[in-house]
Amino acid sequence: MSTVTVVGASLAGLYAARALRGQGYAGRLVIVGDEPHRPYDRPPLSKGFLTGAADRAALELADPEEERALDATWLLGVRATGLDPGGRAVRLADGRELRTDAVVIATGATPRTLGGVDLAGVHTLRTLDDAEALRADLSGGPVRVVVIGAGFIGAEVASSCRSLGHEVTVVEAAAVPLVPQLGPEMGAFCAGLHAAHGTALLAGTGVTAFHGTAGRVRGVELTDGRVLPAEVVVVGVGVRPRTGWLAGSGLPLDDGVRCDAGGATPLPNVVAVGDVARLDGHRAEHWTSAAEQPAVAVRNLLAGRTVATGTGLPYFWSDQYGVRLQFAGRTRSGDTVRIVDGALTEGAFAAGDGFLAVYERAGRPVAALAANRPRPFTRLRRELARTVRGDPADGADRADRADGADRARAVR
């Protein structure tokens, strides 16, 4: 291979570039990104960056010295619009066509929106530009914020807004938040975190309309007829993989790019990683997956066949109201939950409060959830990684849908 093109300049794309150089690829390396920014970390956008505790410099994933060592051609601020059916050329929105010998698809995902909304003050949160726009709307003093969707992004935004002194209401279509990811008992615990910190959670209802004056949002109308006053609205109803540019490429597209367990696609010399990749029937929208998948996919790309598969245990974390939640494993409906350390307390956590819960199936541990218990969780996570094997036939694994379960639950 004389040229490899990485399409996507976020976490998965950067890690793919690192893996290519780390595994000995010395040819031309091109990195295409539709955002004008160098690779940055997304998790702080809903937390420290939104509150002002972290600045843009704290988000950077690679320093200038590392970027020079990658010896890559960076094409930023330009969108990929097509991949030829043989995978040997990438078309760009500015009319250029990049001839290439191999492609790493790392285009990630884009937020789902609620149709027909064109009002100032209504936000989604996925990119740095999204976060800066939302932060600006929150900077003029206390406002009334409505967050639509009580998934992890919605919960983190609500937590950040409360810490800034804003009045916050979270609207959730499900009766209990996060049940697809954590189950009803732990979902109820997360609902309690909102209540304990002064955030109103309206569950079991959806959104029918937005009200506005002079082009700016002023209220959110619910399916039960209520209208919630709002100067700022954040829509957090999941994401969809960015595969539109791959139409006509010959790649199988089904809630992402369908790959084998090593990230290889049916097209020779084309692999996919990160949020856009559906590996062996699963698509994981986690930071850890986006960081770990590229090394495996690149190894297979350079070998010309699948010689390695991912073996990592699904893992994600979330920070809400000063509580660090960590989850690892795969669960199914019907698994039992047992507290093995600490106590499942209601209300605000005092210093030292927390718990470690184990999900069990037929008496065997399959997953773990911790709240402010990082050390025992890490030990249990290692044990699970040694003993737990995911069932590829189980399409209902909660861990594989953690950040994107909202995508399957339309706001009514």
Side-chain angles (χ1 to χ4, degrees):
M1 299 178 189
S2 61
T3 300
V4 176
T5 301
V6 178
V7 185
S10 191
L11 177 72
L14 174 63
Y15 275 55
R18 287 175 175 172
L20 282 160
R21 292 306 191 206
Q23 295 182 31
Y25 174 70
R28 182 168 182 253
L29 176 59
V30 181
I31 303 174
V32 178
D34 64 341
E35 293 185 63
H37 312 294
R38 297 285 181 173
Y40 60 88
D41 210 13
R42 295 188 192 277
L45 296 181
S46 58
K47 300 183 276 287
F49 184 79
L50 193 59
T51 64
D55 60 13
R56 287 184 60 160
L59 305 179
E60 294 177 358
L61 287 171
D63 59 33
E65 182 177 349
E66 181 188 5
E67 290 190 8
R68 285 192 295 271
L70 284 176
D71 189 25
T73 300
W74 294 81
L75 303 179
L76 300 178
V78 61
R79 179 171 51 88
T81 59
L83 177 69
D84 84 356
R88 300 302 295 269
V90 175
R91 294 187 294 276
L92 304 181
D94 61 9
R96 282 180 288 178
E97 184 172 277
L98 305 177
R99 305 302 298 180
T100 188
D101 298 300
V103 175
V104 180
I105 299 170
T107 42
T110 190
R112 292 181 179 272
T113 58
L114 302 181
V117 181
D118 187 20
L119 294 170
V122 178
H123 300 265
T124 56
L125 182 56
R126 176 74 180 183
T127 68
L128 176 58
D129 291 344
D130 292 340
E132 289 185 327
L134 177 56
R135 190 163 74 167
D137 263 0
L138 296 171
S139 64
V143 295
R144 292 169 293 188
V145 180
V146 173
V147 178
I148 303 172
F152 290 108
I153 291 296
E156 290 172 359
V157 169
S159 170
S160 295
C161 289
R162 282 298 298 148
S163 74
L164 293 170
H166 301 296
E167 178 184 327
V168 182
T169 301
V170 177
V171 178
E172 168 59 41
V176 178
L178 296 168
V179 170
Q181 302 94 334
L182 303 179
E185 184 178 3
M186 295 302 149
F189 162 76
C190 291
L193 285 178
H194 290 296
H197 291 84
T199 297
L201 174 63
L202 305 181
T205 187
V207 172
T208 58
F210 292 85
H211 295 191
T213 57
R216 184 166 190 91
V217 70
R218 297 300 178 192
V220 177
E221 184 173 343
L222 306 182
T223 52
D224 59 15
R226 284 177 289 179
V227 177
L228 305 177
E231 287 79 40
V232 174
V233 175
V234 182
V235 179
V237 293
V239 299
R240 59 170 60 91
R242 299 187 62 179
T243 58
W245 69 284
L246 295 168
S249 66
L251 288 171
L253 307 177
D254 176 18
D255 186 36
V257 179
R258 286 170 53 190
C259 314
D260 66 14
T265 75
L267 288 183
N269 294 341
V270 177
V271 298
V273 294
D275 292 357
V276 74
R278 187 172 180 84
L279 273 63
D280 207 20
H282 298 278
R283 190 170 68 82
E285 297 168 8
H286 319 311
W287 190 98
T288 305
S289 298
E292 292 178 348
Q293 289 173 4
V296 174
V298 162
R299 182 180 174 190
N300 295 328
L301 182 69
L302 296 177
R305 59 188 179 89
T306 299
V307 296
T309 59
T311 58
L313 188 73
Y315 165 74
F316 64 86
W317 76 92
S318 178
D319 296 313
Q320 304 173 27
Y321 304 105
V323 178
R324 166 59 63 97
L325 299 174
Q326 295 172 282
F327 184 92
R330 291 185 172 94
T331 70
R332 304 176 190 170
S333 298
D335 291 345
T336 59
V337 183
R338 183 167 58 92
I339 305 298
V340 297
D341 183 35
L344 184 62
T345 57
E346 295 183 359
F349 273 28
D353 284 353
F355 65 84
L356 175 63
V358 175
Y359 293 74
E360 296 176 331
R361 188 180 311 142
R364 182 173 63 92
V366 293
L369 172 69
N372 289 348
R373 285 291 188 271
R375 289 185 179 179
F377 173 83
T378 299
R379 289 193 296 269
L380 184 54
R381 180 185 172 192
R382 292 195 190 106
E383 294 175 9
L384 288 170
R386 289 193 296 265
T387 61
V388 175
R389 296 292 181 268
D391 180 359
D394 179 14
D397 286 347
R398 288 180 183 135
D400 285 335
R401 296 177 292 147
D403 297 323
D406 305 281
R407 69 178 181 266
R409 187 181 65 246
V411 175
R412 293 194 290 269

